[in-house]
Amino acid sequence: MADWVSGKVIRVQHWTDALFSLIVNADAAPFTAGQFTKLGLEIDGERIQRAYSYVNAPGNSELEFYLVNVPEGKLSPRLHAMQPGDEVMVVREAAGFFVLEEVPDCQTLWMLATGTAIGPYLSILQQGEGLARFENIVLVHAARYTHDFSYLPLMLELQERYQGKLRIQTVASREQVAGSLYGRIPALIANGELEEAVGLTMTAQNSHVMLCGNPQMVRDTTQLLKDSREMSKHLRRRPGHITAEHYW
């Protein structure tokens, strides 16, 4: 059984009407960047729980989670309404294999995310360990509207920190705006716009692609890369080019 600990909300950052970040203090065990835990509340005698990835780097005592409020959901509306000092339950031990040690060496590491699934990449990049073996890193955040790019300021700070190694690209699917690509990630790979925008190629010879987010994006992009780029899913027993995690 999971070992639950009590956490205290330090602050809540409301980015939009639906998007928010919870910053929590809890006696959680050390985790690896890219992993997730579970948050839970006792509601009508039942513990309602959901998995959320850490946004903060390991070693940071402020545990940060990026969430979307689903009005009809059992848990997220209550988390959305939380105030500093409120208590939330946290699973002490993190889980998940969406971590750098599972990614093989390559020239260019592509980190593709939709929505709140940007979180694991921010944890990895803020920590910064294990990235020296990649010549280039591309972080792509896709959302419906540009106001949904909550962590763009942090992404740009990280881009400066990595001094040319990290390239940032945003993608909006519902509006066209300068600086962002317009459409869906699979289509932008298929038509070459994503590679043109960042100035790098995505091939089986030079790249590894991490996919995190909307299951439809993950499925469509995986199939596209298999069909058009001769890439394969990465497995420990059979190294490949694609590492994926569905985000709900």
Side-chain angles (χ1 to χ4, degrees):
M1 291 181 63
D3 180 15
W4 290 86
V5 296
S6 178
K8 182 168 288 188
V9 174
I10 301 172
R11 62 184 180 277
V12 185
Q13 173 68 57
H14 292 280
W15 304 103
T16 67
D17 289 344
L19 293 169
F20 66 106
S21 295
L22 272 185
I23 296 85
V24 178
N25 181 266
D27 184 25
F31 67 94
T32 301
Q35 288 190 308
F36 63 88
T37 188
K38 290 183 178 180
L39 303 182
L41 292 172
E42 296 288 338
I43 301 173
D44 297 329
E46 178 185 4
R47 180 172 291 160
I48 306 299
Q49 57 186 279
R50 299 288 184 270
Y52 298 104
S53 292
Y54 286 103
V55 175
N56 59 289
N60 188 336
S61 62
E62 294 190 350
L63 310 180
E64 186 168 352
F65 306 95
Y66 186 34
L67 297 79
V68 60
N69 180 28
V70 180
E72 65 273 17
K74 290 185 176 181
L75 183 61
S76 64
R78 293 175 183 262
L79 296 176
H80 187 251
M82 297 196 98
Q83 300 292 325
D86 288 346
E87 292 192 359
V88 60
M89 300 300 293
V90 181
V91 169
R92 189 170 187 277
E93 298 284 345
F97 298 97
F98 198 72
V99 296
L100 279 185
E101 64 187 51
E102 298 292 331
V103 174
D105 292 349
C106 64
Q107 182 179 353
T108 301
L109 177 63
W110 297 78
M111 298 175 160
L112 311 184
T114 59
T116 56
I118 192 70
Y121 299 131
L122 296 177
S123 180
I124 290 169
L125 290 166
Q126 287 185 94
Q127 183 185 38
E129 293 183 8
L131 294 170
R133 57 195 174 100
F134 307 111
E135 183 178 328
N136 308 297
I137 304 167
V138 181
L139 177 62
V140 178
H141 188 200
R144 293 180 178 181
Y145 301 100
T146 54
H147 63 237
D148 296 329
F149 300 133
S150 310
Y151 283 93
L152 183 56
L154 174 58
M155 292 163 64
L156 295 174
E157 285 179 22
L158 288 166
Q159 185 172 242
E160 291 255 340
R161 169 180 156 187
Y162 282 94
Q163 301 180 335
K165 184 189 190 78
L166 174 64
R167 307 185 191 198
I168 299 294
Q169 183 60 56
T170 55
V171 176
S173 63
R174 300 285 180 88
E175 65 176 331
Q176 299 187 46
V177 63
S180 288
L181 294 176
Y182 173 69
R184 295 182 65 244
I185 286 176
L188 294 168
I189 294 173
N191 64 22
E193 286 188 43
L194 177 57
E195 289 158 288
E196 182 180 357
V198 301
L200 294 167
T201 59
M202 184 187 297
T203 71
Q205 290 71 42
N206 69 8
S207 296
H208 191 90
V209 182
M210 298 180 76
L211 302 170
C212 190
N214 181 319
Q216 192 63 54
M217 182 280 288
V218 172
R219 286 191 294 268
D220 291 349
T221 306
T222 298
Q223 194 61 52
L224 171 70
L225 295 176
K226 286 180 176 180
D227 294 342
S228 66
R229 308 296 173 101
E230 298 183 343
M231 292 184 172
S232 60
K233 285 187 178 180
H234 177 67
L235 304 171
R236 284 180 174 177
R237 65 180 183 276
R238 190 176 69 249
H241 319 89
I242 305 166
T243 298
E245 184 164 277
H246 292 187
Y247 213 68
W248 65 64

